[in-house]
Amino acid sequence: MADQEKEPITIKKYANRRLYNTGTSTYVTLEDLAAMVKAGEDFVVYDAKTGDDITRSVLAQIIFEQENKEGQSLLPITFLRQLIRFYGDSMQMLVPRYLEQSIDTFTKEQGKFREQMAQAFGAGGFGAMEDQVRRNMEMFEKAFAMFSPFARGEKTAAGRGGAGGDDIDELKRQLSEMQKRLDKMGGG
C-alpha cells in the first residue's frame, strides 16, 4: 500500500493534556509529534472526550514550541503580523490555498537545491564543503607562515627542512579542485 493510501495514525488528547498514540499504545509528547511530521508520518489528533478533530491546533502548538527554541525561528515577525491581519479579512479564504501552494513550490525547489549540492560536493553535501574550506584555510595559514615567519612564531620553510614547497603545491591542487567544483555547480 502506498504512503498516500495509508490511514493516518490516530492520536487522542485527554483532558490532562496528555497525547496518546493509538497505533503504538503509548503516550507521546509534542516533540514526538514533531519528529513524526519530520519523518513524513501522517496523523490526526482527536479530543478524547468530544471526538473533535483538533489536529490544526496541535500542529500550531508544535510550531509555537519550535518558534520558541533558540535559533529555530522560521517565521519572521512581519509575516506573523500580516497573517494576523488576514483573520476576518475578505482575503482570508484565499490565504490557506496560497500558503499551501507557496510551501509546496518551496519544498520542491529545496529538494532540487539539495540534489545539486550533493552532485557538486558528493554525498557529504555541505559537510564536504566545510571540510574542504577548513583544509584550505590550514594550507593557507601554513603558506602564509612561510612568508611571514614571525606572524605566528613558526619556523621558516628552510628551518623545517624545505617542506614548504610541498605545502604550496598541495594548496594549489586543492584550490584548483575547488574551482572545478564551483564551475560544475555554476554550469549545472
Side-chain angles (χ1 to χ4, degrees), residues 138-148 167-168 171:
E138 289 170 1
M139 294 302 294
F140 177 76
E141 288 174 358
K142 288 178 184 176
F144 182 72
M146 288 188 317
F147 296 107
S148 179
D167 288 347
I168 290 176
L171 180 60

Side-chain angles (χ1 to χ4, degrees), residues 63 67 73-87 95-96 98-100 102-103:
I63 291 171
E67 283 290 312
S73 178
L74 291 177
L75 302 173
I77 290 175
T78 53
F79 171 81
L80 293 171
R81 286 187 174 139
Q82 187 58 49
L83 194 60
I84 291 169
R85 288 183 190 118
F86 280 122
Y87 285 101
V95 173
Y98 173 78
L99 292 176
E100 282 179 1
S102 296
I103 199 71

Side-chain angles (χ1 to χ4, degrees), residues 148-161:
S148 179
F150 302 107
R152 301 187 75 191
E154 296 178 333
K155 296 180 182 178
T156 63
R160 290 182 293 171

